[in-house]
Amino acid sequence: MSLNPLYIIPARGGSKGIPGKNIKLLAGKPLIAYTIEAAIAAGATPGRIILSTDSDSIAAVAAALGLPVPYRRPEALGSDTTGSREVILDVMDWADSQGIAYDCVVLLQPTSPLRTPSDIAECMARFIPGETDMAVTVTEAAANPYYDCFETDDRGLLHVSRRHHPPPGRPAGLADERRRICNRPRGTAPPPAGGTPPPRALANAALTLD
């Protein structure tokens, strides 16, 4: 099934851990350049890549890299507590007002510079229309949280959990493909995610700078 995605790169200017991280130089290029280049190489045209930023500096760097920045994130969505969902919905509202047609959203975090165009394509290929609401990239967690859990026996005594559990994953941020969010009313609860573990090569690309 052919998808018609809207690519969103969220890059607010108020980073606390590494101030200005989205345009810090990494191997001679602004951090955000790696994501813009990967999206274009994966087949996205600049007009379908929407940079969501509240920063003039980030917008200027993106424009210098050849990405038009016609949309500007509202100040109210630039806080530490703003979630990705709110950011996505605001971009979708803007895209709708501009007559941009799409049937899914691909979220590309700029803090994953080792992402490749094939990572994006593979994530989209793993999305199964009609069976999954989204495809999310994950990488194997460094520690298994199940082993830090306790179970209660019939006498009320606590025991460390020793049962077999599947290996947990943590978000990788390489590419998240979302479809159901495009087709539901604003203000409803986010959908459940579905997917399969990533191949080892994809997991090894999950360097996230925060």
Side-chain angles (χ1 to χ4, degrees):
M1 178 178 178
S2 179
L3 298 175
N4 186 29
L6 180 70
Y7 298 82
I8 300 177
I9 301 177
R12 72 185 185 95
S15 174
K16 298 297 192 298
I18 305 177
K21 68 181 177 184
N22 289 309
I23 53 176
K24 289 285 190 183
L25 294 182
L26 176 65
K29 294 194 298 187
L31 181 63
I32 200 169
Y34 294 89
T35 294
I36 294 173
E37 292 171 356
I40 294 175
T45 58
R48 301 195 64 79
I49 304 172
I50 309 301
L51 174 66
S52 174
T53 187
D54 55 352
S55 165
D56 291 338
S57 297
I58 294 176
V61 169
L65 292 167
L67 182 68
V69 190
Y71 164 83
R72 188 57 60 91
R73 184 189 299 194
E75 184 178 346
L77 296 180
S79 72
D80 293 338
T81 58
T82 300
S84 295
R85 181 172 180 272
E86 290 78 12
V87 170
I88 292 172
L89 289 174
D90 194 71
V91 173
M92 288 170 56
D93 286 340
W94 179 85
D96 292 343
S97 73
Q98 301 299 305
I100 300 175
Y102 58 93
D103 57 12
C104 64
V105 168
V106 177
L107 184 69
L108 301 173
Q109 301 284 358
T111 47
S112 295
L114 300 185
R115 173 202 301 108
T116 66
S118 62
D119 291 335
I120 299 173
E122 184 171 353
C123 179
M124 295 179 66
R126 285 174 177 244
F127 173 72
I128 306 173
E131 294 185 30
T132 53
D133 292 328
M134 64 178 69
V136 182
T137 57
V138 297
T139 185
E140 188 173 337
N144 193 326
Y146 296 119
Y147 297 149
D148 294 328
C149 297
F150 289 87
E151 298 176 341
T152 305
D153 64 17
D154 295 338
R155 296 178 297 165
L157 300 178
L158 294 176
H159 300 273
V160 175
S161 175
R162 297 295 184 187
R163 294 184 297 174
H164 173 73
H165 296 287
R170 62 176 179 81
L174 302 184
D176 297 341
E177 194 279 341
R178 309 177 185 213
R179 186 183 184 93
R180 183 65 61 81
I181 196 172
C182 299
N183 301 317
R184 70 176 189 276
R186 307 296 194 262
T188 56
T196 57
R200 180 62 57 182
L202 184 60
N204 288 343
L207 169 67
T208 300
L209 304 177
D210 280 312

